[in-house]
Amino acid sequence: MTETILKVDNVSKAFGALRACDRVSLDLRLGEIHALIGPNGAGKSTLIKQIAGNLRPDSGRIEFLGRDVAALDTVERARMGLGRSFQISAVIAEFTVLQNVVLAVQGARGTSFHFLRGALSDRAVTEAARLQIERAHLGGREAVRASDLAHGERRRLELAMALALRPKAFLLDEPMAGMGADGVAEMTGLLDGLRHEAPILLVEHDMDAVFALADRISVLDYGQIIASGTVDEIRAHPEVRRAYLGEEDAA
Amino acid sequence: MGRETLLNAAIALGLVAVPVWAHLAGEPFIITLTTKAVILALAGVGLNIALGHGGLISFGHAAYFGLGGYAAGILAHHAQTFTPLMSAPFIIEGTKFMPVIWLVAVIVAGLAALVIGALSLRTSGVYFIMITLAFGQMLFFFAISWPAYGGEDGLVIYVRNEFPGLNTLDPIQFFALCYVILGLALWFSHRFGRSPFGLALNAARQNAERVQTVGIRPFRLRLTAFVISGMITGLAGALFADLNRFVSPSMLSWQTSGEIMIFIILGGVGRLYGPVAGAALFIALEHFLGGVSDYWLVFVGALLLLVVLFARGGIIGTLAGREVAHD
């Protein structure tokens, strides 16, 4: 059996009367892209936040690398190797591309408590950062401030930062949100190559990208997983067509 | 060389040229005035680490300034009255020796910043401002009501403390000493800003959640920065006590906290020479406008308003433009 990296087991989370996550179970296995889809308000972001450690589940269990992470906060989970990107671009706006990725590299290496040497004068660190910048197709843009980047570039910068952590799993929340067709194609190509480095739990609204990339898909609706399976199984699933793909089919 | 580097060099040179001229022209008061600007700039360099780099709006840095001042005053007081500072369980004597006084000032201010920071950094925004202010005022009222060291009247240092090889009573020599210390603090501040720690701290100011997701804890960064910041401001306090040969609770008052903050805002928040430019301008205004009107602070207020409204980068930001990140 393939190794399970991340396991969400019967997790529930309610906000008052709203059941944002209702007995959700899913797993992420080595080498795969597992897409999580569902309409707005289905509870995808709530689930991601619980996995990353921003929210505490009311009940259920989350295991990462075979370890119950209930007692760990976001920082400890990141250190364990959970590489995350946000739904809304979260980069350090005043920093350049290189500074942003160097920040991630020094986070991964635990070398942030040095006061006198230059952050950008350590060759080993900057080389590691440049490598990830190249991989995210941002070569030549190292000295550009994040706030001056185009939207698609900023999303790839986030990916470069996640890559620099050398994570054991990626948690990507709508990496293609707001991108044009070219941007989506470029990001799809990038993510396709990443699954062998670390498995990806991908939340995404762009169905073409999801169907092109995912090994497995889980569908979330009103806080519940209503279907889980391969791309073909999901395409054929009647409840999924009704809940989520219906409009697309009619069009 | 960048525009900012040139501007910084001009400010550094100007700060030497004025007292050298005053020395030659026999104007010791001008030397003292410049020394005051240098010492206050040092206090600002300290605050700039917390405020500029860390985004921590401390409205209580007078606490560290005053603690540094009282460290100098109390040690000198015991030395000049020949009474031990502590007699049980072992004897600690006072001292007039500056390096020891500075060390004590830095340690005391650092410890206070550690305790105050650990408690107040659990809050943010307005609450953080109010808590740091509250701690500062606590120390202020404590100093006023503690008669052993002068209470409201403060403590007098009869003869300025000593530094080996220098006659510290000679204004130009004491100026040189303070100037060198400011230079060292600026060197540290420059390296600090470009270090891995400075990078992470600046990142945490802009987006703390992002910093967490790369496995760095913003609280630890901020607390460390707050302690370093308090230590530098504490050292400035010790020098200020020696400049005036007098320590009083006013060093601990919230007005002092406000003034240190004004230097930074006038000069340029987060800019290396921001506090230097700001303190120099403040002292110059005090000197020239203070002669014209007792209400000279009204003009400072108007200037501050103009800077905040129209020149956010302060003097340095307006003259040198946006900071260059790297090539």
Side-chain angles (χ1 to χ4, degrees):
Chain A
M1 199 193 129
T2 19
E3 198 185 333
T4 301
I5 299 292
L6 178 73
K7 188 167 191 277
V8 176
D9 190 14
N10 236 348
V11 163
S12 295
K13 176 81 192 172
F15 300 106
L18 176 73
R19 310 211 58 154
C21 277
D22 191 2
R23 285 161 287 154
V24 170
S25 294
L26 59 83
D27 61 0
L28 183 65
R29 298 176 198 149
L30 205 59
E32 75 167 348
I33 293 181
H34 189 151
L36 186 63
I37 63 173
N40 284 326
K44 302 185 298 289
S45 290
T46 308
L47 184 61
I48 291 285
K49 282 180 183 161
Q50 291 175 91
I51 295 171
N54 302 96
L55 280 177
R56 185 179 285 276
D58 295 336
S59 63
R61 182 180 164 90
I62 296 168
E63 274 180 27
F64 182 47
L65 306 174
R67 181 175 166 196
D68 184 354
V69 293
L72 306 181
D73 66 8
T74 44
V75 173
E76 287 158 326
R77 291 182 204 193
R79 285 187 190 155
M80 273 184 82
L82 205 56
R84 184 184 181 194
S85 82
F86 291 86
Q87 190 173 356
I88 295 158
S89 278
V91 291
I92 310 299
E94 288 173 24
F95 281 10
T96 63
V97 168
L98 183 61
Q99 285 174 317
N100 266 287
V101 183
V102 161
L103 175 73
V105 172
Q106 74 185 40
R109 296 183 175 207
T111 53
S112 292
F113 277 78
H114 290 280
F115 300 91
L116 293 179
R117 73 166 185 235
L120 303 182
S121 44
D122 185 339
R123 278 291 289 270
V125 170
T126 51
E127 286 310 310
R130 281 180 206 280
L131 178 73
Q132 306 306 343
I133 291 170
E134 289 292 334
R135 292 185 63 195
H137 300 175
L138 285 168
R141 305 283 281 162
E142 285 88 348
V144 180
R145 269 175 219 263
S147 54
D148 296 337
L149 289 176
H151 176 74
E153 290 178 314
R154 214 173 302 152
R155 306 249 51 166
R156 295 207 300 280
L157 173 57
E158 267 202 86
L159 191 66
M161 291 177 80
L163 276 167
L165 294 174
R166 303 208 156 277
K168 303 284 195 305
F170 289 103
L171 209 55
L172 305 184
D173 198 355
E174 298 192 31
M176 313 191 190
M179 279 188 175
D182 292 346
V184 170
E186 184 164 21
M187 185 61 97
T188 304
L190 274 170
L191 296 185
D192 198 20
L194 277 188
R195 76 181 89 199
H196 301 295
E197 185 160 326
I200 303 174
L201 184 63
L202 175 70
V203 174
E204 187 48 66
H205 273 301
D206 190 306
M207 282 304 122
D208 292 334
V210 166
F211 286 138
L213 282 170
D215 298 291
R216 286 191 299 154
I217 299 175
S218 290
V219 186
L220 207 56
D221 193 25
Y222 292 108
Q224 286 183 314
I225 300 262
I226 57 169
S228 190
T230 63
V231 172
D232 292 336
E233 284 166 1
I234 294 299
R235 271 192 214 270
H237 200 287
E239 227 178 316
V240 176
R241 297 176 74 98
R242 185 185 52 75
Y244 195 40
L245 302 172
E247 283 179 22
E248 280 191 9
D249 263 15
Chain B
M1 226 192 308
R3 217 163 10 140
E4 185 165 354
T5 315
L6 283 172
L7 182 62
N8 292 350
I11 294 170
L13 275 177
L15 271 183
V16 180
V18 170
V20 166
W21 164 80
H23 182 67
L24 297 175
E27 297 261 14
F29 177 68
I30 298 291
I31 303 177
T32 303
L33 212 57
T34 321
T35 312
K36 187 177 172 189
V38 164
I39 293 170
L40 293 177
L42 179 66
V45 169
L47 178 60
N48 204 22
I49 285 189
L51 181 71
H53 293 283
L56 308 170
I57 306 171
S58 166
F59 202 2
H61 257 52
Y64 318 112
F65 192 64
L67 282 172
Y70 269 94
I74 289 172
L75 287 171
H77 169 77
H78 285 284
Q80 67 202 9
T81 55
F82 302 103
T83 50
L85 184 67
M86 199 171 88
S87 48
F90 43 85
I91 294 177
I92 297 180
E93 302 277 2
T95 178
K96 300 280 291 175
F97 188 58
M98 279 189 188
V100 173
I101 288 172
W102 296 343
L103 187 68
V104 172
V106 165
I107 290 172
V108 169
L111 285 175
L114 181 67
V115 173
I116 294 173
L119 293 169
S120 45
L121 283 169
R122 301 190 182 280
T123 66
S124 59
V126 161
Y127 298 100
F128 180 79
I129 300 175
M130 285 298 135
I131 288 186
T132 51
L133 173 65
F135 276 114
Q137 288 302 93
M138 256 171 60
L139 285 171
F140 170 70
F141 286 113
F142 181 75
I144 279 189
S145 54
W146 198 24
Y149 295 114
E152 228 169 325
D153 299 330
L155 273 177
V156 175
I157 302 171
Y158 297 127
V159 179
R160 193 171 281 156
N161 293 310
E162 295 143 13
F163 191 86
L166 290 181
N167 172 15
T168 54
L169 283 171
D170 179 5
I172 195 77
Q173 291 191 38
F174 184 61
F175 165 80
L177 190 60
C178 296
Y179 186 78
V180 167
I181 292 173
L182 176 65
L184 288 172
L186 284 169
W187 172 81
F188 172 78
S189 181
H190 172 71
R191 296 296 296 257
F192 174 92
R194 287 160 179 271
S195 71
F197 184 86
L199 189 79
L201 181 67
N202 274 291
R205 166 171 56 82
Q206 298 175 56
N207 191 337
E209 193 176 26
R210 196 4 129 187
V211 171
Q212 288 177 335
T213 56
V214 299
I216 305 172
R217 240 175 249 295
F219 180 80
R220 282 187 60 199
L221 296 170
R222 289 172 179 156
L223 185 57
T224 308
F226 199 72
V227 170
I228 293 172
S229 167
M231 287 162 93
I232 296 175
T233 303
L235 179 59
L239 292 173
F240 196 70
D242 253 328
L243 174 73
N244 301 322
R245 280 171 280 163
F246 177 62
V247 192
S248 79
S250 74
M251 276 182 80
L252 289 158
S253 72
W254 66 269
Q255 287 93 334
T256 304
S257 295
E259 277 181 20
I260 302 174
M261 208 183 280
I262 288 172
F263 306 150
I264 295 182
I265 297 169
L266 280 182
V269 176
R271 306 304 279 263
L272 182 63
Y273 269 69
V276 184
L281 179 66
F282 189 88
I283 295 302
L285 289 174
E286 184 183 35
H287 179 61
F288 293 112
L289 293 178
V292 179
S293 161
D294 280 346
Y295 304 105
W296 66 279
L297 273 168
V298 170
F299 300 108
V300 175
L303 185 66
L304 197 62
L305 208 62
L306 288 176
V307 167
V308 171
L309 288 176
F310 302 112
R312 284 285 179 82
I315 299 170
I316 304 284
T318 306
L319 296 178
R322 200 158 83 148
E323 213 163 353
V324 181
H326 59 84
D327 316 316

